[in-house]
Amino acid sequence: MEKSDLSHHILSRYNDDLERVRTNVLQMGGFVEEQLKQAVTALVQGDSRLGEQVARGDQKVNAMEVAIDDDCSRILATRAPAASDLRLIVAVIKTITDLERIGDEAEKIGYIGSRLAAVERPADRYREIKHLGRLVADMVHEALDAFARLDPEGAVAIAKKDRLVDEEFDAIQRQCITFMMEDPRTIRRALDVLWVARALERIGDHAKNVCEYVVYMVHGKDIRHLSMEDVEKHLQSRAQRPQDPLPR
């Protein structure tokens, strides 16, 4: 084989490795997203079997994380990626950690939903939890879409939705405290609802983290400690003057 052909072959395999890692991340994200939706459904519909199924699915999420992490370690050891390829690998390693934690939170919701299925559901059928769950699930889906499209501007817009999640969580928290004060018999159920709401709020945080990794992957800047408004302004400025870096 000619040297040029060998180089092309090695480069082709390297690109295939990178693409496979990206694809596996999106597959893991899709599975985690489905786990989240089913966990909320188990709670709202009082489906104990579905709640238990979601809880058991966390083992698959863990296995996906380990497999992708192994692939990234192998690429780092054998390919010595640089520049944008290195940022991709770093972002993938960080992203799968957040996806695994989303899976952990979905597992918690599944367990709680399974337990609450044995008691009478409230008249509103956990309307607030259903609304918050839908908002968070949309964030996760859109964050993964931004990751797939390498869309930093879209990622920032999605990350800003975390404020809505925080506001919904605060409202549920206030409501549960009111219920517990008015009727001590509701304390156990109110605490369970609070645990679910807290899990959903944390999932929103993890989705926001994924969005931040997208910006890092594309522009090579860590924006974790910047406000989304500032990041948005600087991305707009960067589009007009590519030489202007984001602040550290």
Side-chain angles (χ1 to χ4, degrees):
M1 182 182 293
E2 294 289 339
K3 184 176 180 180
S4 60
D5 293 337
L6 178 60
S7 298
H8 176 76
H9 177 68
I10 292 173
L11 180 61
S12 178
R13 287 191 58 185
Y14 174 48
N15 290 336
D16 289 343
D17 287 343
L18 293 176
E19 186 58 33
R20 184 177 64 254
V21 165
R22 270 173 36 91
T23 299
N24 289 341
V25 171
L26 294 174
Q27 288 178 347
M28 180 181 178
F31 182 75
V32 167
E33 184 182 350
E34 187 61 26
Q35 286 284 94
L36 169 59
K37 291 178 181 178
Q38 290 183 351
V40 173
T41 298
L43 174 68
V44 172
Q45 297 184 358
D47 191 334
S48 62
R49 183 176 298 179
L50 181 60
E52 293 171 358
Q53 177 183 319
V54 171
R56 290 194 302 270
D58 188 57
Q59 295 179 0
K60 182 175 180 179
V61 176
N62 295 340
M64 287 178 167
E65 181 193 23
V66 170
I68 296 171
D69 199 28
D70 286 346
D71 278 345
C72 290
S73 297
R74 180 179 54 79
I75 292 173
L76 287 172
T78 61
R79 304 295 189 184
S84 62
D85 291 342
L86 180 59
R87 295 202 302 269
L88 169 63
I89 296 299
V90 172
V92 163
I93 292 172
K94 290 176 177 290
T95 295
I96 60 175
T97 298
D98 278 280
L99 291 178
E100 189 275 333
R101 289 174 180 168
I102 291 175
D104 287 344
E105 300 299 338
E107 179 187 19
K108 292 179 188 176
I109 298 171
Y111 274 129
I112 294 173
S114 177
R115 187 172 70 249
L116 289 181
V119 301
E120 184 179 355
R121 282 179 292 163
D124 64 2
R125 297 176 180 268
Y126 302 106
R127 182 178 64 246
E128 292 83 2
I129 290 295
K130 186 176 181 180
H131 175 70
L132 179 58
R134 187 182 304 114
L135 181 61
V136 169
D138 287 345
M139 269 193 75
V140 173
H141 177 79
E142 291 169 2
L144 290 168
D145 188 51
F147 179 93
R149 293 185 290 108
L150 299 178
D151 180 5
E153 289 78 13
V156 171
I158 297 158
K160 290 170 67 176
K161 293 183 180 181
D162 188 53
R163 288 182 181 174
L164 297 177
V165 173
D166 292 341
E167 290 171 2
E168 287 291 328
F169 170 70
D170 289 342
I172 293 173
Q173 189 174 43
R174 289 194 299 270
Q175 184 183 63
C176 287
I177 291 173
T178 300
F179 287 158
M180 288 188 287
M181 292 176 62
E182 292 178 348
D183 185 356
R185 293 172 299 178
T186 66
I187 288 177
R188 176 61 186 271
R189 180 183 292 175
L191 288 175
D192 283 330
V193 170
L194 272 176
W195 276 111
V196 171
R198 169 59 75 183
L200 291 171
E201 188 271 337
R202 286 174 176 166
I203 291 173
D205 290 340
H206 292 307
K208 179 183 177 183
N209 290 345
V210 173
C211 292
E212 291 172 348
Y213 305 148
V214 172
V215 176
Y216 169 75
M217 194 162 40
V218 175
H219 292 299
K221 297 297 178 181
D222 188 342
I223 64 166
R224 286 176 294 178
H225 303 296
L226 299 176
S227 71
M228 288 299 109
E229 288 74 13
D230 286 343
V231 175
E232 201 169 37
K233 291 177 183 176
H234 284 289
L235 286 179
Q236 292 171 355
S237 174
R238 189 185 184 96
Q240 297 171 357
R241 296 191 300 270
Q243 72 276 12
D244 288 351
L246 287 169
R248 291 187 178 275

